[in-house]
Amino acid sequence: MSQLSSIASLEATGPAELRPARRRRWPGTGRTWLAVWCVLLGWSLWSFLAEAPRVVNAAGLPAFGEFWAAALRPDLSAATLRTTLDAAATTMAFALLGTLLSVVLGVVLAPLLSQTLWSPASGSRVARVLRVAGLLLARATVALPRGVHEAVWALLLLSVLGRDPLVGVLAIAVPFGAITAKVFAELIDEADRAPYDALREAGAGRAAALAYGLLPTLLPRATSYAFYRLECSVRSAVVLGMIGAGGLGLQLSLAFQGSQHERMWTSIYALVLLGAGIDRWGAHLRRGGSRRRWAVSGVVLLAGVVASVRHLDPDLGRWFSEHTADLLARLVDDLVPPALPAGGWSELLAAAVETVQMSVVAITIATLAGVLVALVAARGATSAPRRVAAWVARQLLLVTRAVPPPVWALLVLFVMLPGPLPGAVALGVYTFGILGRLFAEVLEELDPGPRDALTGLGATPVAAFAYASLPAAAGQLIAYSLYRWEVTARETVIVGIVGAGGLGRLLEQQRAAFDFPAMTTTVLALVAVCLVVDLVSLAVRSSTR
C-alpha cells in the first residue's frame, strides 16, 4: 500500500479498541446502507430545492467564465509577484511552524493515547480498570480540540491577540496536534510489539520501551504522515488568511472582492506549487533511508523554521502581557456559560440538520466524481494518449484540492443563488480532489490480472473495471469516502462562514453580533454533529467489513 493510502487508512479506521473483530456479515447489509444513503441524499436535495426553487444565478455566468479564462493569463507583474511571494512565505511559515508544533504535540501525547502504554501486562483487577479509565480519559481530553475546526480556533485567538502572526500557528497546531496524536497512537498500537515486550521483560520502563523498542520502526510512516499534515496545513493556513490571519488567503480574498481574477490565479498557482513541492520533498525522503537524505532534509527543515520565525517576527511579549490576560479572561467569561441562539433549540437543530445534509450531498458528489476521474488518473497506462490523459487528470486533482473550500464556495456563488446547496457543491468539488487522488492510488495497487483477463475476452474497459476492479477496490473506496465524510462535516463551518449555510453560517452571524455564549453552543453542536457522523461512519464500516 502506498504511503498516502496507508496514512488515510489510519485516519479512516478509527481507534483500535473500537474496531470489531472480523465477523460474518449479515446478507444485504451493504445494500441496506446504500438504500438508507440514497434516501438521505434525496431528502437533503429535496429540502434544499424546496427552500430555494431557483438555484442557477444566470447573471453570474459571465463573471464565472471570466474567472476561468483568467487562468490562462495570471498577473505576473513585478508588484504582484513580490506581494504573492511574501504572502506565500507567510502561508508557508504558518503551515511549517504549525505542523512542527503539532508533530511535537503528537509525539508527546501519542503514548498517552495508545493501548500499548496502558495495557496491563499484569496486576490486579483494580489496576486494569484504572488503566482503561486512564486511556478513555486521555482520548476524551483530545476529542474536543480535534473536533473544533482550526478556523474557529483562529477566530477565538484573534479576539484575544489581534493580528499576531502566531495566531495562525496556534490555530493550526491545536487541532492538528490532537489529530496527529491520535494517528501516532494508532501507529504505536499497530507496530510489532516484540521489541517492546522484550525490553519490558528485561526490566525497562514503559516510556523507555516505547522510545527504544517501537519508535525507530515507526519513523518512516510517521514522517509520511508529517508531510501529509504539512500539505493539509498549507490549505488550512489559506483558510485562516481569509478570516484575517494574512498570507495567500488574504490575497485571494482581496482579489476576489475586487474581481481581480488574474491576481487570484497568481495566488492559486502559488498554492499549487507549494503543494507539489511539499509532496516531492516527502516522496524524496521516503524513497531512501540514507543518512545523507535525512541530514539534508533536517538542515532544510531547520533553515525553514528559522526563516519562518524571522519572517513572522512574532511579539512574544504580547502573549504574556497583562492586557492579553485580561482579554483572555473576558473571552472565557463571554463564552461560559453557553447560551442558545436567538431562535432557540429550533434554530440550532435546523442548522445542525442542514450541516449533515450539506455533508451528505458533498461527499456524494466527491465520491462519484472521484471514482470517474481516478479511472483516468491512475498510473499504469500503456499508450501515449492514455498517459497524457492520466497526467492531465492528476493535475486537475492537484488544482482542485489546492484551492480551499471558501474559495470554491465563492466561485460556486457566481452561478448559484446563496444557500446550503452551493456550500455542499463547493465542499464536494474540493473533497473530490482529495478522494480522487486516494482512489487513483487504490486502483494503481490492484492486481491487474482479472481486469486484463476480461479485456482479453473482449470486454470493454468500462465493463472490465465494473466487474473486476471495482469489487476488489470497493472496501477501500468506501472506507476513504466515509472518512472524508467525517472531515467534510467538520469543514462545513468554513463554507458557512462565507454564507453558504449550516452551523457555519449561524456561527458567523453570532460572531458578527458578538454573541459569544451562543457561539459556544454552536461550536458544541458542531462537535456533536461530527461525533454522530463519526459513529454512523464507524457503524457502516464495521457492518460492511
Side-chain angles (χ1 to χ4, degrees):
M1 183 181 290
S2 70
Q3 293 286 354
L4 181 60
S5 297
S6 63
I7 287 166
S9 68
L10 282 172
E11 293 188 333
T13 50
E17 75 274 9
L18 294 180
R19 293 181 205 148
R22 190 176 293 272
R23 63 181 186 273
R24 187 175 180 178
R25 264 189 325 190
W26 290 101
T29 300
R31 290 192 294 272
T32 301
W33 281 118
L34 180 60
V36 171
W37 186 270
C38 289
V39 170
L40 188 57
L41 175 64
W43 169 59
S44 302
L45 291 173
W46 178 83
S47 299
F48 293 162
L49 296 176
E51 203 175 292
R54 286 186 63 244
V55 174
V56 177
N57 178 23
L61 289 174
F64 188 73
E66 290 173 6
F67 170 79
W68 289 106
L72 301 176
R73 52 175 194 279
D75 186 350
L76 300 179
S77 63
T80 299
L81 289 178
R82 281 196 300 269
T83 302
T84 302
L85 183 62
D86 182 73
T90 300
T91 296
M92 191 63 199
F94 286 158
L96 185 60
L97 295 179
T99 301
L100 182 62
L101 186 54
S102 70
V103 170
V104 171
L105 289 172
V107 171
V108 171
L109 296 176
L112 300 177
L113 304 180
S114 69
Q115 287 181 291
T116 301
L117 182 69
W118 292 97
S119 60
S122 61
S124 65
R125 184 174 182 179
V126 174
R128 291 189 176 92
V129 171
L130 289 176
R131 284 171 176 160
V132 170
L135 173 62
L136 295 177
L137 179 61
R139 286 188 177 269
T141 302
V142 300
L144 183 61
R146 190 173 72 236
V148 178
H149 196 276
E150 51 269 21
V152 178
W153 285 111
L155 291 174
L156 296 176
L157 290 169
L158 283 169
S159 65
V160 175
L161 297 165
R163 289 286 300 275
D164 189 283
L166 286 183
V167 165
V169 176
L170 275 186
I172 292 172
V174 171
F176 283 11
I179 295 171
T180 303
K182 180 231 180 188
V183 173
F184 282 2
E186 291 289 308
L187 286 173
I188 292 173
D189 290 338
E190 292 188 353
D192 180 10
R193 287 174 56 101
Y196 172 84
D197 292 336
L199 287 173
R200 290 286 290 143
E201 291 174 2
R206 292 177 183 271
L210 279 172
Y212 294 101
L214 293 182
L215 293 188
T217 64
L218 303 179
L219 187 59
R221 295 185 75 187
T223 302
S224 297
Y225 184 78
F227 277 99
Y228 169 74
R229 188 47 61 190
L230 179 58
E231 187 179 342
C232 296
S233 296
V234 169
R235 293 192 290 268
S236 294
V238 175
V239 173
L240 301 182
M242 297 186 72
I243 59 176
L248 286 173
L250 180 61
Q251 296 304 310
L252 280 169
S253 182
L254 293 175
F256 184 88
Q257 293 172 13
S259 298
Q260 298 172 320
H261 299 146
E262 291 81 3
R263 292 192 66 182
M264 282 191 72
W265 276 104
T266 305
S267 297
I268 290 172
Y269 286 137
L271 276 173
V272 172
L273 290 175
L274 282 179
I278 293 169
D279 188 57
R280 292 294 298 273
W281 182 14
H284 173 76
L285 190 58
R286 291 191 300 266
R287 276 196 297 266
S290 66
R291 291 184 178 180
R292 183 175 179 275
R293 289 193 180 193
W294 282 96
V296 171
S297 291
V299 171
V300 171
L301 177 62
L302 180 61
V305 169
V306 172
S308 297
V309 172
R310 292 190 61 182
H311 178 76
L312 295 180
D313 191 23
D315 180 12
L316 295 179
R318 180 191 298 184
W319 285 71
F320 305 102
S321 68
E322 185 177 342
H323 179 63
T324 298
D326 183 56
L327 288 176
L328 180 60
R330 289 183 187 179
L331 177 63
V332 173
D333 187 58
D334 288 337
L335 292 174
V336 180
L340 288 173
W345 283 107
S346 60
E347 183 180 21
L348 187 67
L349 182 60
V353 169
E354 195 170 74
T355 294
V356 174
Q357 292 174 323
M358 289 171 63
S359 68
V360 168
V361 174
I363 203 62
T364 302
I365 294 172
T367 299
L368 295 177
V371 169
L372 293 176
V373 175
L375 288 173
V376 181
R379 290 179 172 87
T382 54
S383 64
R386 292 192 64 183
R387 284 197 295 270
V388 171
W391 182 87
V392 171
R394 288 194 293 273
Q395 304 318 302
L396 171 65
L397 294 173
L398 176 62
V399 172
T400 304
R401 67 178 181 269
V403 179
V407 176
W408 282 119
L410 293 171
L411 293 177
V412 173
L413 287 172
F414 271 140
V415 295
M416 298 181 71
L417 295 173
L421 185 57
V425 172
L427 282 174
V429 173
Y430 166 73
T431 307
F432 146 73
I434 297 172
L435 278 183
R437 181 185 181 186
L438 286 171
F439 289 173
E441 292 204 356
V442 170
L443 296 178
E444 290 168 7
E445 294 162 6
L446 291 177
D447 179 8
R451 185 181 60 214
D452 293 342
L454 286 178
T455 304
L457 293 173
T460 63
V462 174
F465 169 78
Y467 290 99
S469 301
L470 188 58
Q476 283 184 283
L477 300 185
I478 291 172
Y480 294 158
S481 296
L482 290 171
Y483 154 63
R484 285 307 306 184
W485 181 35
E486 301 163 22
V487 178
T488 300
R490 182 173 170 266
E491 288 182 334
T492 54
V493 67
I494 54 178
V495 295
I497 285 175
V498 297
L503 287 168
R505 179 176 58 184
L506 183 61
L507 186 68
E508 176 60 18
Q509 292 170 351
Q510 293 162 348
R511 187 190 70 85
F514 298 100
D515 190 355
F516 292 107
M519 282 182 64
T520 302
T521 304
T522 302
V523 169
L524 292 175
L526 181 64
V527 172
V529 166
C530 293
L531 178 61
V532 170
V533 169
D534 187 17
L535 293 175
V536 172
S537 175
L538 179 63
V540 176
R541 292 196 300 265
S542 300
S543 62
T544 57
R545 184 175 287 116

